Each structure stands twice: as C-alpha cells, then as structure tokens.
Amino acid sequence: MKVIICGAGQVGWQIARHLSGERNDVTVVDSNPDLVRRATDTLDVQGIAGFASYPDVLDRAGARDAEMIIAATYSDEVNMVTCQVAHSVFGINRKIARLRSQSYLNAIYSDLYRRDHMPIDVVISPEKEVASAALQRLSAPAAFDTEVFMNGQAHLMGIAIEEECPVVNTPLRQLTDLFSTLRATVVAVRREGTLFAPEAKDQIFVGDECYVFTHADDIPRTLEIFGKKVTKQDRVVLVGGGNVGLAVAQTLEARAKRVRAKVIEKNRICAERAAEALERTIVLNGDGLDAALLAEAGISRADAMLAITDDDKTNMLACVRAKAEGCPYTIALINDPTLVPLMTPLGIDAYINPRATTVSSILRHIRHGRVRAVYSIGDAEAEVIEAEVLSTSPLAGKRVSEVDFPEGVLVGAIRKGDDVIRPMGSTRIDEGDVIAIFALAEDVPEVERLMQVSIDFF
C-alpha cells in the first residue's frame, strides 16, 4: 500500500515506522528538512521537504498513486486543507486527519467532514484519546497500563509483579489448572527490558511486567491473583485543567456514581474556562507543585491524583509531591518516552503516553481486514489487534492449535456472540467471531495476513 504521511513529528514518525516496517511504500512530508532527514535516515521511507497542503509538494510525494494520506502536522488547518487537496486534486481514497481544536470536533458541526464539504474520512483527536486513556487508568488503579476491547467486555491490563504476588515462580500452564474458571490470559511479559510472548512452560518472576487479557467481570479476581488490591476512586485531584483535564472532569461529573474531583490549573484563563464548564467540580487557580494548594485540594485524602499538564517534568514532580503527601495512586502524562524508566524509581504508579494513544487510534483505521481496535504497547514494540473473523480469513473454521501463529503472537480473547471466552487450543474460531491478538511488531504483518479478506470478498 502506498501511503503519504504529512508531518514527521513524534506521531508521524511512529506511524511511518509501523507502516514501513510492514513493507508499505511510505513517503513522509514535512516543512522541516531536519525532521524529513531523520525519517529517511532511520526508516525505510522516502522524504519530501515542503508544505503538505501544497499540491505540487503532494504531487512530488506520489499523491497520484497513493491509496491513503495521513495528515498529522502540528496545524489543524494544514491537515484539513491537505485532505481537501488530496481528495479534490488527486482522488486519494482514504484520508485521516489529526485535529486538536475543540471547535472542529464539536458534534453539531460534524457535517463539515462530508465528502462534498471537507472530505476527511477519519478525524483523530489526541486530547480525546488521552482523556479516554486517563479515565481507563483511573478505572484500574492496580494496573500500570490498561485498554478496553470488545465493547468493554474485555480489558488488557499491565500488571507489575511484586514480592507479594501469590503466583510468582508458577508456570503459566499451572495457572490455567489452578484457576480453571478465570477468563484471563497472560499474552506478554516484559523482563529486564525485553518484551516477549510467553509459552505455557514459562514462569512469572518478581520484577516482571505482565500484560493480561481478562474478561471485564473477572478484573477484581485477576488483580487479586496477581497480588493487587482493588480500591475505589471516590476522590480525585487533577493537576491540569486544559482540554484533557476538562474532558476528564466532565466525564467524572457525568457518571451515575459520583466522583469528587478537584482541578488545579496554573493558567488563570484556562482555570476560569474550566470553572464555567464544570458544575460540581471545584477548580483552583495555582501551581500544582505548591504544597499548600495541594493541601487545599485535599491531596492527603484523595484516592488518586492525575497530573495532565503539557509539561512532563511538572507532571512527574506533582506525582512525587502527591505521594509524599499521602496520595496512594498517581498517574502522569508523559510525552517523552525516555522519561518512562524513571516512573518506578520515583514511585509513580502509571503513566499515559499521548503519542502511543494517538498512534493506536490511527492504526485502528489503517489495518487490513475487519479491524475494530488496535493498541500499541510500549515504544511500538507490539500491538494488540481486535478484528472480526470473516469467512475468507485463513483463521475461519480452524481450532486455535491448528493455526500456525508466529512465536511472538498469542490470542488473548475470543468473543462468540455475546460471550467473551478464554481461548484454549481446542477452541474453534468461526466466521463472525471477534478475536483479540497480541503480536510483537515484527509479527504484525503475519497477523494482518491471517485477518485479511480475499479480493473476491468485495
């Protein structure tokens, strides 16, 4: 597939890395020659320096033959015009744009993106994706990472294995025997920095980070088996009242079960805007690192603190201070992946990577077959892909044990009708089933092949 990626920043580069690694014909366009050079030097891609919205630049990028364009520059307007030019001048079939401004995302203006108006097939909002990720982290405080699949019926949870874990040094095969009714599967383990798909004979050790696919109803029991306590999140402090913080606070307000939230925002204009938009949430104007302000927000009595400003270091220090004041659970928004190894030494319980959430959202609309969701793990090390099994898929009609999956691939869950089940070797995969598969990055193309429909299906 020939793809043009406009914008060679963090998101654009990561998408280019995914697609070029899967042998797609990728061209990266950016107005900054240094970013283009970084992409061409480190990835198997072509590069064009120039403004993505200019027709002659897109022409040089090969737009006449492109099947998809992804507009992920830092400007909403450039992304929108780029999609318009791609449609009107070059007839590119699939157009994806990243838009940040909330005005462009208002549902009452959704007609704007019709093909006869502003032809954008998929609009990605980083702020909405990050807010959703933040709420998911709050819903599973014992996990350092979490994502929802199968319409909320299944969850992927990242669980750090500590000394008190009851199943340390236990082979995974034995876990299946001990907890036969538990609908949970360990699909990946990170050990000493290396992520791998475990085999049945592999054991879990202290210091491991396990990714577990579990039925939503079995989350409390799964966490208990892995030595984690399930706690309620009735009181939450948010440091950062921008678009992300406001979206999180509004969602918490809308929940049937009331969550008492307080927002700390340093910028007075943003704080006033948040205060006007929120009904029951107290908004404090000030520095989230100020101990007196945190005390006023009730940090010592809070169940969780979420630091989601646009500054990584502020978020990390706010979490450290909240911990020192007695807050049991902290989450930090971290843009720079090189800071992630500092999370554990600093005692920060979980983090959100905006780049990973945005990349996952874009990949969901790129993957072949009937893909419903994609989640990128770590620094693009692996993906979890949820897709419907069609009659033309090589998986249809086979038992799990009969499918020649690569070593880096494991099936996490299968949904048959309304039931989500734990896959066994004897489980038959039928047409219409929804399957969630963990795959290391190098094995994603093979998973796509297994999910791919034949050309005559269309």
Side-chain angles (χ1 to χ4, degrees):
M1 178 170 63
K2 182 169 180 57
V3 184
I4 298 175
I5 300 173
C6 302
Q10 290 185 342
V11 170
W13 186 88
Q14 199 66 257
I15 292 293
R17 176 182 169 186
H18 274 275
L19 296 182
S20 63
E22 295 161 19
R23 300 178 184 176
N24 291 290
D25 182 359
V26 178
T27 301
V28 174
V29 178
D30 199 287
S31 59
N32 186 332
D34 292 336
L35 292 180
V36 173
R37 192 176 303 111
R38 181 190 70 153
T40 55
D41 288 348
T42 57
L43 304 172
D44 183 17
V45 301
Q46 301 173 67
I48 299 292
F51 289 95
S53 57
Y54 289 4
D56 62 315
V57 172
L58 290 180
D59 201 2
R60 285 192 289 128
R64 296 184 187 279
D65 303 320
E67 299 166 64
M68 179 183 295
I69 188 165
I70 301 169
T73 74
Y74 289 106
S75 168
D76 288 356
E77 290 71 24
V78 169
N79 293 340
M80 296 168 77
V81 172
T82 298
C83 288
Q84 181 72 69
V85 173
H87 175 81
S88 302
V89 179
F90 301 105
I92 296 178
N93 184 52
R94 190 77 166 156
K95 299 163 288 293
I96 299 175
R98 179 178 67 172
L99 302 181
R100 293 182 179 277
S101 173
Q102 297 304 297
S103 182
Y104 290 135
L105 302 169
N106 196 314
I108 64 174
Y109 306 129
S110 59
D111 275 357
L112 175 64
Y113 306 113
R114 278 171 31 191
R115 295 185 73 82
D116 53 344
H117 291 167
M118 182 73 70
I120 301 174
D121 300 296
V122 178
V123 173
I124 304 296
S125 166
E127 282 78 11
K128 285 188 176 181
E129 298 296 333
V130 170
S132 177
L135 289 164
Q136 288 176 24
R137 296 291 189 278
L138 283 174
S139 68
F144 66 82
D145 195 1
T146 180
E147 181 65 19
V148 177
F149 291 88
M150 298 181 175
N151 297 328
Q153 289 181 280
H155 288 230
L156 176 73
M157 296 190 298
I159 302 175
I161 305 302
E162 300 172 339
E163 292 282 356
E164 57 269 24
C165 176
V167 295
V168 166
N169 302 332
T170 304
L172 296 180
R173 182 187 292 109
Q174 195 171 335
L175 287 182
T176 303
D177 298 333
L178 290 171
F179 309 103
S180 58
T181 61
L182 183 71
R183 291 166 292 182
T185 303
V186 178
V187 294
V189 175
R190 188 188 304 280
R191 182 172 297 156
E192 296 178 355
T194 301
L195 187 70
F196 63 94
E199 298 179 4
K201 67 178 187 299
D202 287 331
Q203 301 177 31
I204 297 173
F205 300 127
V206 173
D208 285 352
E209 293 180 349
C210 293
Y211 284 88
V212 184
F213 224 102
T214 181
H215 192 289
D217 294 341
D218 289 352
I219 289 176
R221 189 175 170 214
T222 300
L223 291 172
E224 183 182 346
I225 289 170
F226 283 88
K228 302 296 181 181
K229 293 181 180 178
V230 180
T231 57
K232 296 180 180 180
Q233 305 298 309
D234 295 329
R235 300 171 186 266
V236 177
V237 174
L238 307 177
V239 175
N243 290 333
V244 175
L246 180 57
V248 172
Q250 288 176 322
T251 302
L252 293 176
E253 276 195 346
R255 287 183 173 174
K257 182 182 178 182
R258 186 180 176 188
V259 175
R260 298 180 182 179
K262 293 183 181 178
V263 176
I264 300 175
E265 170 54 47
K266 190 173 185 178
N267 182 288
R268 185 172 185 81
I269 295 175
C270 285
E272 290 175 348
R273 181 174 69 97
E276 290 176 3
L278 297 167
E279 297 178 4
R280 301 192 306 269
T281 303
I282 297 173
V283 180
L284 303 174
N285 178 216
D287 190 345
L289 296 178
D290 186 330
L293 193 60
L294 285 171
E296 184 181 347
I299 195 67
S300 62
R301 301 186 305 277
D303 299 307
M305 195 276 275
L306 186 59
I308 42 180
T309 74
D310 57 4
D311 184 82
D312 289 355
K313 297 178 181 62
T314 296
N315 295 337
M316 294 169 69
L317 290 173
C319 287
V320 171
R321 172 144 278 178
K323 279 282 192 178
E325 297 297 329
C327 183
Y329 183 64
T330 58
I331 306 172
L333 182 68
I334 302 296
N335 287 280
D336 184 355
T338 63
L339 296 175
V340 172
L342 299 176
M343 297 295 103
T344 300
L346 291 174
I348 300 172
D349 300 287
Y351 69 94
I352 304 164
N353 183 340
R355 180 183 68 180
T357 58
T358 304
V359 168
S360 294
S361 184
I362 293 174
L363 288 176
R364 185 182 311 139
H365 301 283
I366 293 176
R367 294 285 173 239
H368 298 300
R370 196 68 65 85
V371 172
R372 293 166 173 251
V374 174
Y375 185 62
S376 179
I377 293 178
D379 189 18
E381 298 162 274
E383 291 178 20
V384 176
I385 301 172
E386 176 192 330
E388 181 183 343
V389 178
L390 302 178
S391 59
T392 49
S393 166
L395 297 177
K398 292 185 178 180
R399 301 186 186 280
V400 172
S401 59
E402 296 172 345
V403 181
D404 187 21
F405 288 115
E407 288 186 8
V409 173
L410 279 177
V411 180
I414 298 175
R415 193 180 78 192
K416 291 180 173 292
D418 294 330
D419 296 327
V420 174
I421 63 173
R422 180 179 65 183
M424 309 291 286
S426 58
T427 304
R428 177 186 167 97
I429 304 171
D430 297 310
E431 175 189 354
D433 288 353
V434 176
I435 186 170
I437 298 177
F438 167 87
L440 294 175
E442 60 267 26
D443 296 316
V444 168
E446 176 61 14
V447 171
E448 280 203 291
R449 186 192 70 78
L450 291 170
M451 301 308 306
Q452 179 69 54
V453 295
S454 63
I455 196 69
D456 60 358
F457 180 82
F458 299 100

